Every structure is written in structure tokens, then in C-alpha cells.
Amino acid sequence: MATIDRIEYVIETPEGVDIAVSDDVATVTGPNGSLSREFTHHKVQLLLEGGAVLVRVDIPRKKEKALAGTWAAHLRNMVKGVNSGFTYHLKAFYSHFPMTLKVEGDVLKVNNYFGEKVPRKAALPWSPAEVTVEVKNKVEVVVSGADKEKVGQTAANIERSAVVKKRDRRVFQDGIYLVNKE
């Protein structure tokens, strides 16, 4: 039995950001580009009112209440992404063998990890227009873009490329780690 008759989340849009909703597809446009995402559900609605977007659900059940909150979070992330973008800073740490990183096309190469002769590779599945990957000082990686999910997945791919196997992680802490998110 529902105890709340309506849930509404209001997502305000800052100056320079434009939101359009048509046929269950929300498109957010701003200085850093444009993002689109499909939002479909028979009870949860997206409405434009003034300069804001409303995520509304009438007589919600538990799953619809959670879905409305998720949609609001996705829209907030889209607005922040096209306005200021997302940046993840990663750093390669090593104790003995100096590790170097280099971007070659759609792959990030990790050279000399634990003294290995064959370089490890991290997939960069999105184009440089969507997600930018830069290597600074041979061991620092900056991943940036407008879509939070794509930036986060790229950073995760880079982290997973240098995982310690068959050794105690408490002792052998070499690898690439997330240092900062912006």
C-alpha cells in the first residue's frame, strides 16, 4: 500500500545549459557538448517546467520511488557533465621497476609493470571527442569527459590493467590507482 501520493525531484539547469525532453529521450546541451539518454517507464514521468526538469511519479511503490531517484541523479550528472565535465586523476605507483604509461590510439600501454617484457594494455573504448585520456610525467593519467559513466568506465579499465596477481596485495602494492575525482 502506498503511503505517499506523489514524489517529485526538481533538477535546476544553470545558465548556458539547455534541456529538451521528447518521446522519453532527454537531451542536455551545454558548453561541453550534448548528452542524450532514454528514460522509459509507464509510471515515472519527465516534465519540463520553466528552466527545470521534474521527475514525477504518482502513487509510487518502492521500485518506482527508487527509479525516480535514479533518473534524477542521471539528469543531475548530465547537467554537470555538459556544464563543467568530469575529471578522474590516476597515478601509477611502483617500488622497484619504473613503470611508464603511453596512449596509442584506442589503447593505453603500461610498460615495465613488475619488470614484465610484454606491455599490459587498457582498452579505451570511446573516441577522444567523448573521453580524453592524457598521460603526464609518464606515470600520471588524467581522464576527462562530459559523460560520467564513460569517464568512470575508462578509469576502471586503466586500473584493472595493472592488477597484482599471485602476490600479497598488502606487500606488492604496485599498480595504477585512482587518486582524485573532480
Side-chain angles (χ1 to χ4, degrees):
M1 186 93 179
T3 57
I4 302 172
D5 63 341
R6 174 180 284 172
I7 291 180
E8 275 187 353
Y9 292 98
V10 180
I11 294 92
E12 297 290 335
T13 57
E15 188 86 19
V17 175
D18 204 30
I19 296 182
V21 177
S22 64
D23 297 331
D24 297 331
V25 175
T27 303
V28 182
T29 308
N32 286 350
S34 179
L35 295 174
S36 293
R37 188 178 191 117
E38 185 176 350
F39 296 99
T40 55
H41 193 269
H42 64 281
K43 285 189 78 174
V44 185
Q45 305 167 352
L46 283 181
L47 305 168
L48 285 174
E49 283 191 12
V53 177
L54 287 174
V55 179
R56 178 185 292 167
V57 58
D58 293 322
I59 310 173
R61 298 201 178 223
K62 190 185 251 185
K63 287 187 178 183
E64 286 127 13
K65 189 175 172 183
L67 186 64
T70 301
W71 283 13
H74 284 312
L75 286 166
R76 276 189 227 102
N77 286 337
M78 289 168 71
V79 168
K80 183 181 177 197
V82 298
N83 196 24
S84 59
F86 294 95
T87 306
Y88 285 31
H89 298 272
L90 297 100
K91 189 170 182 182
F93 293 98
Y94 54 87
S95 58
H96 185 267
F97 295 103
M99 189 182 338
T100 57
L101 310 172
K102 189 171 24 169
V103 176
E104 293 181 357
D106 61 345
V107 171
L108 179 112
K109 285 193 175 181
V110 180
N111 292 314
N112 204 31
Y113 179 73
F114 267 121
E116 295 174 344
K117 300 297 179 199
V118 178
R120 292 191 178 204
K121 297 175 183 176
L124 306 176
W126 292 283
S127 69
E130 293 176 298
V131 178
T132 307
V133 179
E134 297 177 66
V135 177
K136 297 180 178 178
N137 302 334
K138 295 184 183 177
V139 292
E140 296 174 12
V141 181
V142 178
V143 182
S144 58
D147 192 343
K148 185 175 187 175
E149 293 177 17
K150 291 179 180 179
V151 171
Q153 186 60 54
T154 303
N157 289 350
I158 294 169
E159 265 188 320
R160 293 289 304 155
S161 70
V163 172
V164 178
K165 301 219 173 144
K166 297 182 182 175
R167 289 189 171 86
D168 190 353
R169 297 256 330 169
R170 297 169 296 180
V171 177
F172 298 93
Q173 296 178 353
D174 293 19
I176 302 170
Y177 297 103
L178 182 65
V179 177
N180 188 18
K181 292 183 191 180
E182 294 173 10

